[in-house]
Amino acid sequence: MRKKTVIFCTILFFTFILSACQSSEWNSQQEREQINNNQEDEAIETNASKEKVLVTLMNSEGMQVATATLTEKDTDGVHIVLEGENLPPGEHGFHIHEVGECIPPDFESAGGHYNPTNSKHGFEHPEGPHAGDLENIVVNEDGTVYAELDAPMVSLKRDHENTLFTKAGTSLVIHANPDDYISQPSGNSGKRIACGVIGE
Ligand SMILES: [Cu+2]
């Protein structure tokens, strides 16, 4: 009888120790998760204070073909991530235009390039480029495109002299042909095949 009691007590003791250990482990895991959550919250807050602008581009038939995400860089300028589909394969001129209006099919409503510094068009022009000049994009054979570009002369800050939030607004335009980076006024990039208003 006594022996049984001892065994019972021993089992009870170890069960207690084991469960105590497990619960402290569980607690520290919870703490870790809490810390992770806090870090994520902080990251989100930092991004929120940095403006992020989503632009939807449509083609001449009014069909959505691309989205661009614009973020203010820590250094000067705006970073653009462009993702698209159903576009003609090959190299295309891509610019920021000076009016925030995209009326299909020709998108002439978007006006010329955004050019607050009154410069000439093209990275290779001695008096260039326009603030709205961007590198050409390359659409894959399947019509998709992914491009990351920088527009170092513009800003999403509303009080910046080269802000993209002007009275007339601004837009992103994809052209039919590549920009040669020197011809006036638009690098010989041809028709406008897609357009999206910035900040709409
Ligand atoms: Cu253009």
Side-chain angles (χ1 to χ4, degrees):
M1 191 63 193
R2 230 173 148 192
K3 203 176 172 188
K4 269 189 182 170
T5 314
V6 169
I7 290 171
F8 178 74
C9 285
T10 312
I11 289 171
L12 202 68
F13 176 73
F14 279 111
T15 312
F16 173 76
I17 293 289
L18 201 68
S19 75
C21 282
Q22 271 175 342
S23 102
S24 83
E25 211 171 89
W26 186 78
N27 277 343
S28 71
Q29 200 185 340
Q30 263 209 331
E31 273 164 31
R32 270 201 301 274
E33 273 170 22
Q34 187 58 45
I35 289 166
N36 278 347
N37 282 345
N38 286 349
Q39 281 170 344
E40 271 167 34
D41 285 349
E42 258 170 53
I44 289 165
E45 256 170 52
T46 321
N47 279 339
S49 66
K50 264 195 197 174
E51 199 159 4
K52 200 169 204 175
V53 176
L54 184 72
V55 180
T56 306
L57 287 87
M58 63 170 160
N59 67 10
S60 355
E61 279 104 57
M63 181 176 120
Q64 184 186 320
V65 288
T67 57
T69 309
L70 279 57
T71 41
E72 187 80 21
K73 286 170 64 96
D74 291 332
T75 51
D76 279 347
V78 170
H79 186 64
I80 302 173
V81 178
L82 177 78
E83 279 178 280
E85 56 186 359
N86 296 314
L87 285 159
E91 204 178 335
H92 299 273
F94 183 44
H95 314 119
I96 301 167
H97 281 240
E98 65 185 347
V99 183
E101 199 168 18
C102 290
I103 303 174
D106 58 15
F107 302 118
E108 287 303 320
S109 57
H113 293 170
Y114 182 46
N115 183 22
T117 58
N118 211 11
S119 305
K120 297 281 193 228
H121 168 72
F123 297 115
E124 285 165 26
H125 195 288
E127 291 159 56
H130 292 151
D133 283 356
L134 298 169
E135 302 254 331
N136 288 329
I137 56 163
V138 179
V139 175
N140 301 311
E141 279 306 310
D142 65 359
T144 62
V145 64
Y146 179 87
E148 294 202 19
L149 313 100
D150 283 325
M153 292 169 72
V154 300
S155 177
L156 295 173
K157 294 177 192 143
R158 283 159 202 273
D159 57 351
H160 192 283
E161 52 185 354
N162 294 353
T163 180
L164 293 180
F165 298 112
T166 58
K167 240 186 202 164
T170 51
S171 52
L172 285 173
V173 172
I174 302 174
H175 290 259
N177 304 317
D179 183 338
D180 64 15
Y181 299 141
I182 193 155
S183 300
Q184 303 305 304
S186 192
N188 219 1
S189 52
K191 280 195 321 187
R192 303 166 180 198
I193 60 169
C195 184
V197 175
I198 296 172
E200 199 181 50

